[in-house]
Amino acid sequence: MTPRPPANAGGSPFSFMTFDVAIVGAGIVGAAGAASLSSAGLRVVVIDANEVATGTTAAGMGHIVVMDDSEAQFALTNYSQKLWNDLAPTLPQNSEYEHCGTIWVAADDEEMDEVRRKKDFYASHGVEAEILNETALRKAEPNLREGLAGGLLVKQDSVVYQLCATDFLIEKAKHNGSVVMKGKKAVEISDGGVKLENGALIAAGKVINAAGALASILSPSLKILKRKGHLVITERYPGFVSHQLIELGYLKSAHGKDTDSVAFNVQPRSTGQILLGSSRQFGSEDTEIDYNILNRMAARAFEYMPKLRELSAVRTWTGFRPATPDNLPYIGLIPGFKSVYAAAGHEGLGITTSLGTGELIADQILGRQSMIDASPYSPSRLAAA
């Protein structure tokens, strides 16, 4: 398809515009989709009620991690991680992309059994991982407490400052002719396009709902629940942490459906700062700091890394992540529509899987063969639930 300027792209008020694809949501998933589709020559508009990367994307830790909860989750995270590695040389320095690796920390012998299971899974799928005993774990991360059983080091995992990475993808899309409409709230999406709060219609051949935690408002058939999370970032303490550190108990908290939970999750930043998570809450709709949860989260971190008590925090904030019943995102055509697609429901893996999601959506819209099987992520599974 030959690119051509969208009708009335620069007009104001936005009375009527026509695009090949309209993407609702200027987070990292929407930005990745826009970059992929626009690079193929399609006329793309990205619409967001606020600014770029101010919603779900801002609530993430920027961890690019291969996960093994299911074959489908592994396929998408592994594929996406490879895309990130391919993109990394072109990312600007402020994206802070680093191969720090992940250590899954085991507190006891039972969790070491899980370490060995994960190691076997990764080995069978071509992912390098190394089992650390207690001594090796302490050598890798001296500020962890004594007495931990060991861990699993996954060297290829990375971190990225997702806000700047999202800006990069948006600028890439704009360079390819995309239009970005900020401060424009979408109130309805249909096979004809997107209706804005001010009454304007953005006509588009295809529409992608990439609205993160708010996606189910525009597409009620999507089974998405908002999970509130807290994050803390410290002053600069270079060398305090070298790897992304996650307790194996994180997996249990990540899959909990009904109760509030916290887990030890610490990330080093290239600035020398330390990003601390994680918490999960259902049913909380406000963005205020929940000090009970925050104190629980800190106490959990201190159990694993006591010297964190000595560090000074500079900022604490919250955000919402979109969770699905089966822990897989919705990527593809939404049942009941001919041209409305979902790219939502990534929960805590939106940063990791953004590039893979963008490619899978582009493949479907362009009729291309995908690098991985996209069927496990199809919203059509809603009809069978």
Side-chain angles (χ1 to χ4, degrees):
M1 182 176 293
T2 302
R4 59 188 186 277
N8 198 33
S12 181
F14 301 103
S15 55
F16 192 88
M17 301 182 187
T18 303
F19 294 87
D20 294 318
V21 183
I23 300 174
V24 180
I28 197 164
V29 171
S36 182
L37 288 160
S38 63
S39 69
L42 273 64
R43 301 166 300 173
V44 178
V45 59
V46 181
I47 304 163
D48 200 286
N50 299 297
E51 297 292 318
V52 172
T54 54
T56 301
T57 299
M61 292 186 75
H63 189 196
I64 300 173
V65 56
V66 172
M67 296 290 286
D68 66 326
D69 288 357
S70 65
E71 289 287 346
Q73 188 189 71
F74 173 82
L76 183 58
T77 55
N78 187 52
Y79 174 46
S80 296
Q81 187 179 77
K82 291 175 180 177
L83 293 173
W84 273 110
N85 288 339
D86 291 343
L87 183 67
T90 67
L91 288 170
Q93 187 174 358
N94 65 4
S95 292
E96 301 176 22
Y97 189 87
E98 291 193 351
H99 287 282
C100 65
T102 300
I103 298 179
W104 294 91
V105 180
D108 52 35
D109 290 341
E110 181 181 358
E111 291 186 354
M112 282 302 292
D113 289 339
E114 174 64 8
V115 162
R116 286 183 279 272
R117 185 206 65 78
K118 287 175 74 70
K119 170 67 164 62
D120 290 344
F121 180 94
Y122 285 141
S124 69
H125 289 72
V127 174
E128 182 181 358
E130 176 186 352
I131 294 178
L132 306 178
N133 61 21
E134 179 181 355
T135 301
L137 178 63
R138 286 277 295 167
K139 183 177 180 180
E141 292 290 347
N143 285 316
L144 285 171
R145 70 168 171 85
E146 296 182 4
L148 294 167
L152 184 70
L153 170 60
V154 186
K155 296 180 180 179
Q156 69 183 33
D157 290 348
S158 307
V159 297
V160 68
Y161 185 41
Q162 71 272 19
L163 304 188
C164 290
T166 304
D167 284 336
F168 171 80
L169 292 169
I170 286 289
E171 290 303 315
K172 182 178 180 181
K174 288 168 66 176
H175 179 76
N176 292 330
S178 296
V179 174
V180 179
M181 297 174 58
K182 296 179 288 186
K184 303 295 178 182
K185 183 178 180 180
V187 295
E188 183 181 342
I189 56 179
S190 67
D191 286 324
V194 180
K195 183 179 179 181
L196 302 183
E197 189 175 41
N198 64 4
L201 173 66
I202 310 300
K206 309 288 185 183
V207 177
I208 300 172
N209 183 349
L214 302 177
S216 59
I217 296 175
L218 291 169
S219 301
S221 66
L222 298 180
K223 296 180 180 178
I224 291 176
L225 289 176
K226 292 164 63 175
R227 300 186 84 165
K228 183 177 178 178
H230 289 68
L231 291 170
V232 178
I233 195 161
T234 71
E235 294 276 11
R236 298 171 188 248
Y237 300 96
F240 187 89
V241 177
S242 300
H243 305 82
Q244 179 96 26
L245 302 178
I246 312 176
E247 65 162 297
L248 278 164
Y250 171 92
L251 299 175
K252 297 177 183 177
S253 71
H255 295 160
K257 303 296 183 184
D258 301 314
T259 59
D260 297 344
S261 62
V262 299
F264 172 60
N265 190 351
V266 166
Q267 180 183 106
R269 305 310 303 255
S270 64
T271 58
Q273 294 174 286
I274 299 160
L275 186 60
L276 173 66
S278 65
S279 69
R280 284 175 164 78
Q281 292 174 274
F282 278 127
S284 180
E285 295 291 328
D286 65 78
T287 59
E288 298 300 314
I289 304 297
D290 183 328
Y291 286 96
N292 177 54
I293 287 289
L294 185 63
N295 290 336
R296 284 176 56 192
M297 190 175 83
R300 188 65 174 171
F302 299 157
E303 289 180 26
Y304 281 81
M305 193 166 266
K307 289 186 178 180
L308 281 170
R309 294 177 183 273
E310 303 170 12
L311 309 189
S312 297
V314 294
R315 183 185 173 215
T316 301
W317 70 103
T318 69
F320 296 95
R321 299 161 188 146
T324 66
D326 59 4
N327 302 309
L328 292 175
Y330 300 121
I331 306 172
L333 190 66
I334 300 175
F337 293 92
K338 297 178 179 179
S339 57
V340 178
Y341 295 75
H346 298 77
E347 218 263 294
L349 291 170
I351 312 304
T352 292
T353 58
S354 56
L355 298 187
T357 298
E359 287 298 300
L360 291 179
I361 283 287
D363 293 340
Q364 293 179 47
I365 288 176
L366 294 165
R368 302 185 308 205
Q369 180 68 37
S370 293
M371 294 298 293
I372 64 172
D373 179 13
S375 62
Y377 324 108
S378 172
S380 64
R381 70 186 192 270
L382 292 165

